[in-house]
Amino acid sequence: MKPRLVPWMPVLIISLLVACSGARSDSHSGETELYILAAASLTDAVQEVRRVYEREHPHVKLVPSFASSGKLQRQIEQGAPADLFISAGEKEMDALIRQGQVVTEDHRSFLHNELVLIVPRNHKRIKGFEDLTHASKIAVGQPKTVPAGEYAKQTLQYMKLWDSLKSRMVFAGDVRQVLTYVETGNVDAGLVYRTDAQTSDRVTVAATAPPGSHRSIIYPMGVVKGSKNREEADRLYDWLDGEKARAIFRNHGFQDVAGR
């Protein structure tokens, strides 16, 4: 027996289709989402940038994602939604440029940072790099995927400390995790960027990595070639390179790249 079609059912079906169609249209309402993949050390600065930019560009919603630069590089390579990439290391950006993942003409060296040795607040035993031999646990980023970890390794190798301290290392997934380990006292010391250290009142900067002990800490910025909103991504890229955005980054402790 064929199922009997109730007279009001076609009307109901058409109404539901119209309602669903209207819901999809309203959900977009002309707003553009831009996905920013940024190194974990940029978290606070980029969140402030998001608030200011969205206030000035109400039709744009910024969707930031923070992790180690190496993890973000892999996400872009695997096709994750991304419009703009800000790395804490040049190696990751260079790799994406070689692969054609970042627009060649729309990338530039952006910010500069410093590497510092931090200890829990009121910690008395470690006052400099030479005292790390007294530490039982030292937190650093994973050198293969975390630029801060690579800079930390270079610095400790420069000081002839890496090999003797390697067994005491606690490797973290990003630089903010290193900061947390030190804040909570789970380690005796850690190496982070100066901008990370200044976000916390639970750590003390014991020393700054000496000049020449590691590669320059440069943050490059680039537009991702697979951006679905290239025009808006280019507009954001130019805005970030402007004075208003740079003032925000400076307020968070970042420095302009020399010559800018």
Side-chain angles (χ1 to χ4, degrees):
M1 178 184 295
K2 292 183 179 180
R4 188 167 62 89
L5 186 65
V6 179
W8 47 262
M9 284 183 68
V11 176
L12 177 61
I13 292 169
I14 292 171
S15 298
L16 288 172
L17 288 172
V18 171
C20 291
S21 175
R24 284 195 298 270
S25 176
D26 291 341
S27 67
H28 289 83
S29 64
E31 185 180 76
T32 299
E33 288 188 341
L34 292 178
Y35 292 86
I36 304 175
L37 274 58
S41 53
L42 291 161
T43 299
D44 301 308
V46 168
Q47 291 291 19
E48 184 176 348
V49 161
R50 178 184 61 79
R51 291 190 292 271
V52 173
Y53 194 81
E54 288 181 351
R55 190 164 61 242
E56 294 186 3
H57 304 79
H59 66 289
V60 177
K61 179 182 179 182
L62 302 186
V63 185
S65 179
F66 305 101
S68 70
S69 299
K71 288 180 182 177
L72 296 175
Q73 175 195 337
R74 287 200 300 273
Q75 289 177 21
I76 293 171
E77 290 170 341
Q78 293 166 4
D83 296 287
L84 200 78
F85 177 42
I86 311 178
S87 174
E90 296 176 295
K91 179 179 70 175
E92 292 77 12
M93 184 67 76
D94 289 344
L96 290 174
I97 291 170
R98 285 196 302 271
Q99 296 168 25
Q101 300 272 11
V102 168
V103 181
T104 306
E105 63 271 20
D106 283 345
H107 84 279
R108 64 190 65 166
S109 297
F110 185 45
L111 303 168
H112 174 68
N113 214 334
E114 292 182 299
L115 188 73
V116 296
L117 174 67
I118 59 171
V119 296
R121 196 161 191 81
N122 301 319
H123 189 91
K124 305 295 184 184
R125 190 170 47 173
I126 297 172
K127 298 179 180 180
F129 284 97
E130 64 279 2
D131 296 324
L132 285 176
T133 54
H134 304 305
S136 58
K137 291 182 180 180
I138 305 159
V140 300
Q142 174 57 250
K144 290 184 178 179
T145 57
V146 183
E150 185 177 6
Y151 301 134
K153 181 177 180 180
Q154 291 168 0
T155 299
L156 294 175
Q157 287 177 328
Y158 176 86
M159 296 180 169
K160 306 290 193 266
L161 291 171
W162 177 259
D163 290 337
S164 61
L165 297 176
K166 192 173 181 180
S167 62
R168 308 180 204 184
M169 297 291 179
V170 176
F171 294 105
D174 61 55
V175 71
R176 286 300 175 95
Q177 191 174 37
V178 174
L179 178 66
T180 299
Y181 286 159
V182 180
E183 286 179 322
T184 55
N186 287 321
V187 298
D188 299 311
L191 281 94
V192 300
Y193 300 124
R194 185 174 296 280
T195 52
D196 297 299
Q198 74 177 38
T199 67
S200 176
D201 59 3
R202 290 187 286 167
V203 303
T204 299
V205 174
T208 301
S213 62
H214 58 78
R215 287 204 323 271
S216 293
I217 302 173
I218 302 295
Y219 288 66
M221 170 178 67
V223 174
V224 178
K225 205 163 192 177
S227 171
K228 305 298 183 185
N229 298 287
R230 177 65 185 279
E231 187 175 334
E232 288 291 353
D234 286 343
R235 190 172 290 120
L236 172 61
Y237 172 84
D238 290 335
W239 188 90
L240 285 171
D241 198 39
E243 181 53 33
K244 182 176 288 188
R246 286 184 173 277
I248 293 173
F249 286 106
R250 285 196 295 268
N251 287 340
H252 285 272
F254 294 92
Q255 303 165 27
D256 288 343
V257 171
R260 293 207 56 85

